């Protein structure tokens, strides 16, 4: 059974049903029933037209469900609209599903879950395992999301920025269990890039590839975090870096700069440096200036403070940091790093310990705790 084929066909089959009048929730259930039937039937009797087979079976499943809940007249109207046997057009309707799943009426977490389910073809169990929540909890989240978008017309214009934001959220979840969400986000973004010509789509794909290229070096054998400056650059995926840089250069050449292109440019400068000491921090600060102009994001300003500290010295970085809200996530960790760079180890150790208590996850907390312990041990020598 070709699982990749079934996954690739799912968005188009779902779109066909919705276009023929099925509401999203019922159509998605019917498609899942068809996929189960395909797993059972195809090994012994593979169809010549896989998509046509899935559309036919899914539509019949939808009709069966409709007959149990609707009036006779509506049932007969649906039956008359049943697609005729034969090949189904191969147009890629994935883009419409992206826009539907990233509808602004959904919360970010619901939009991510629905995108993974409807466009990614993952099962509810796989998504639940990836997010480390009970399967029943994830099923409720997806069901609520489907109900929310069921009444939305497919001809409504979509918002590329919202779709990209959802994909970026998927990517930032990283990976756990049997589903690698970072790799899944790259696969989905490649799909999107194939159906929409937009420099920010290319920028996001480049950003993902450049970040993902460093994955093997991000943690030590014991699972501890390895800071960028300490990573073994020989373990970076040079093919992914080369692809990401090429995609980024083509996007930047269109002179329609967006935030994902700017972030990818920063990642490319890190990837281009043979050693941490050779990093072009002056150019990175310039790209952060562009990001501030594009987003005015406090998080971007915080990251810019680190870059300024590298380019112009830790005192300059601390001066920038002093202009920012100290309630920002990672503000204390950045302050600790810059104080250490300036040589104030006692203050840095105290701030590392404080940052550890505020850490959002166990890996980050352990890393910051080790940094505090390292400086405290140094101070007692």
């Amino acid at each position: 059974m070709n699982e990749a084929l079934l996954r690739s066909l799912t968005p188009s089959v779902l779109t066909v049903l919705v276009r023929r009048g099925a509401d999203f929730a019922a159509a998605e259930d019917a498609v899942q029933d068809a996929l189960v039937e395909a797993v059972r039937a195809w090994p012994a009797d593979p169809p010549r037209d896989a998509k046509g087979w899935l559309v036919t079976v899914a539509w019949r499943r939808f009709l069966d469900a409709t007959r149990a809940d609707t009036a006779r007249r509506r049932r007969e109207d649906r039956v008359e609209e049943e697609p005729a046997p034969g090949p189904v057009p191969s147009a890629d309707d994935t883009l419409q599903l992206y826009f539907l799943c990233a509808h602004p009426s959904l919360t970010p977490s619901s939009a991510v879950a629905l995108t993974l389910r409807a466009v990614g073809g993952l099962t509810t169990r796989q998504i639940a395992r990836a997010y480390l929540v009970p399967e029943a909890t994830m099923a409720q989240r997806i069901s609520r999301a489907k109900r929310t978008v069921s009444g939305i017309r497919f001809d409504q214009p979509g918002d590329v920025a919202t779709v990209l934001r959802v994909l970026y959220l998927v990517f930032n979840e990283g990976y756990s269990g049997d589903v690698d969400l970072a790799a899944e986000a790259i696969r989905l973004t490649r799909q999107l890039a194939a159906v929409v010509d937009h420099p920010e789509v290319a920028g996001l794909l480049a950003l993902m590839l450049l970040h993902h290229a460093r994955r093997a070096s991000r943690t030590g054998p014991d699972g501890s975090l390895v800071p960028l400056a300490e990573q073994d650059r020989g373990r970076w995926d040079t093919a992914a870096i080369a692809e990401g840089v090429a995609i980024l250069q083509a996007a930047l050449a269109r002179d329609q700069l967006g935030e994902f292109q700017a972030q990818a440019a920063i990642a490319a400068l890190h990837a281009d440096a043979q050693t941490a000491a050779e990093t072009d921090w002056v150019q990175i600060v310039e790209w952060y200036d562009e990001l501030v102009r594009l987003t005015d994001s406090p998080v971007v300003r915080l990251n810019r403070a680190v870059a300024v500290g590298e380019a112009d010295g830790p005192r300059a970085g601390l001066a920038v940091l002093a202009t920012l809200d100290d309630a920002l996530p990672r503000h204390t960790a950045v302050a600790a790093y810059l104080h250490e760079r300036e040589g104030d180890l006692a203050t840095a150790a105290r701030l590392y310990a404080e940052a550890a208590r505020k850490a959002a996850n166990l890996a980050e907390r352990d890393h910051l705790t080790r940094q505090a312990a390292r400086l405290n041990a140094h101070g007692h020598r």
Side-chain angles (χ1 to χ4, degrees):
M1 173 54 56
N2 191 331
E3 182 179 341
L5 174 62
L6 286 176
R7 178 183 287 185
S8 68
L9 291 174
T10 297
S12 292
V13 175
L14 180 55
T15 305
V16 170
L17 266 65
V18 173
R19 279 181 165 174
R20 293 184 180 276
D23 68 77
F24 187 88
E28 207 270 345
D29 289 341
V31 171
Q32 293 305 316
D33 287 345
L35 294 176
V36 171
E37 182 65 16
V39 171
R40 186 193 66 79
W42 285 12
D45 185 20
R48 284 177 294 182
D49 177 10
K51 180 179 174 182
W53 189 98
L54 286 170
V55 169
T56 299
V57 172
W59 185 256
R60 288 173 179 166
R61 292 291 190 275
F62 168 69
L63 290 178
D64 289 343
T66 302
R67 288 189 181 101
D69 300 321
T70 63
R72 178 181 178 84
R73 184 185 181 91
R74 183 166 176 76
R75 294 202 306 267
E76 291 174 351
D77 289 343
R78 297 285 192 195
V79 171
E80 290 175 2
E81 295 173 7
E82 180 173 354
V88 176
S90 59
D92 192 340
D93 298 309
T94 305
L95 180 59
Q96 291 177 307
L97 283 183
Y98 277 109
F99 289 143
L100 189 63
C101 294
H103 194 269
S105 62
L106 294 174
T107 64
S109 61
S110 294
V112 167
L114 192 59
T115 300
L116 290 171
R117 185 77 166 95
V119 188
L122 302 184
T123 66
T124 302
R125 176 173 296 179
Q126 287 175 315
I127 301 170
R129 286 178 178 173
Y131 280 89
L132 304 178
V133 300
E135 184 176 354
T137 300
M138 185 56 67
Q140 291 175 353
R141 183 180 301 173
I142 294 173
S143 294
R144 285 195 299 269
K146 287 193 292 185
R147 287 196 299 270
T148 299
V149 302
S150 284
I152 298 171
R153 287 166 33 206
F154 246 60
D155 58 355
Q156 288 182 335
D159 179 10
V160 174
T162 302
V163 175
L164 295 182
R165 187 66 54 198
V166 169
L167 291 173
Y168 193 43
L169 286 171
V170 176
F171 181 79
N172 283 334
E173 287 296 330
Y175 61 95
S176 60
D178 59 352
V179 178
D180 183 340
L181 288 181
E184 184 66 15
I186 292 173
R187 186 184 74 83
L188 293 172
T189 306
R190 285 190 190 279
Q191 281 189 7
L192 185 62
V195 293
V196 60
D197 182 22
H198 194 294
E200 272 294 83
V201 177
L204 178 59
L205 180 56
L207 176 64
M208 289 179 175
L209 289 168
L210 290 164
H211 278 318
H212 205 53
R214 303 200 300 262
R215 171 174 167 173
S217 63
R218 281 205 182 100
T219 55
D222 60 352
S224 60
L225 292 180
V226 179
L228 176 60
E230 300 172 19
Q231 289 177 12
D232 179 0
R233 298 181 181 224
R235 300 182 66 196
W236 289 2
D237 185 341
T238 55
I241 291 172
E243 182 185 6
V245 169
I247 292 171
L248 173 62
Q249 289 175 337
L252 291 174
R254 299 174 65 174
D255 198 23
Q256 300 175 42
L257 184 64
E259 63 173 299
F260 290 120
Q261 294 169 75
Q263 287 188 56
I266 293 169
L269 286 167
H270 284 299
D272 187 55
Q274 295 298 308
T275 66
E278 296 175 67
T279 304
D280 189 346
W281 285 105
V282 172
Q283 195 171 350
I284 286 175
V285 171
E286 292 174 355
W287 277 112
Y288 271 120
D289 289 340
E290 291 290 341
L291 263 178
V292 169
R293 180 181 62 81
L294 289 166
T295 68
D296 196 29
S297 163
V299 174
V300 170
R301 291 182 181 275
L302 183 65
N303 290 333
R304 181 182 175 276
V306 176
V308 169
E310 298 289 356
D312 301 328
R315 187 165 298 182
L318 285 168
V320 174
L321 190 65
T323 67
L324 305 179
D325 184 354
D326 60 9
L328 276 172
R330 294 185 55 251
H331 185 285
T332 307
V334 169
Y337 173 74
L338 291 173
H339 276 289
E340 180 183 358
R341 287 280 319 282
E342 196 180 19
D344 186 352
L345 303 189
T347 299
R350 176 178 58 78
L351 289 172
Y352 275 130
E354 182 182 338
R357 292 191 292 271
K358 299 177 181 179
N361 58 68
L362 182 61
E364 184 179 356
R365 186 185 70 190
D366 288 348
H367 170 71
L368 293 168
T369 300
R370 280 194 294 271
Q371 296 294 85
R374 173 179 57 82
L375 293 185
N376 283 325
H378 184 277
H380 288 95
R381 288 177 184 172

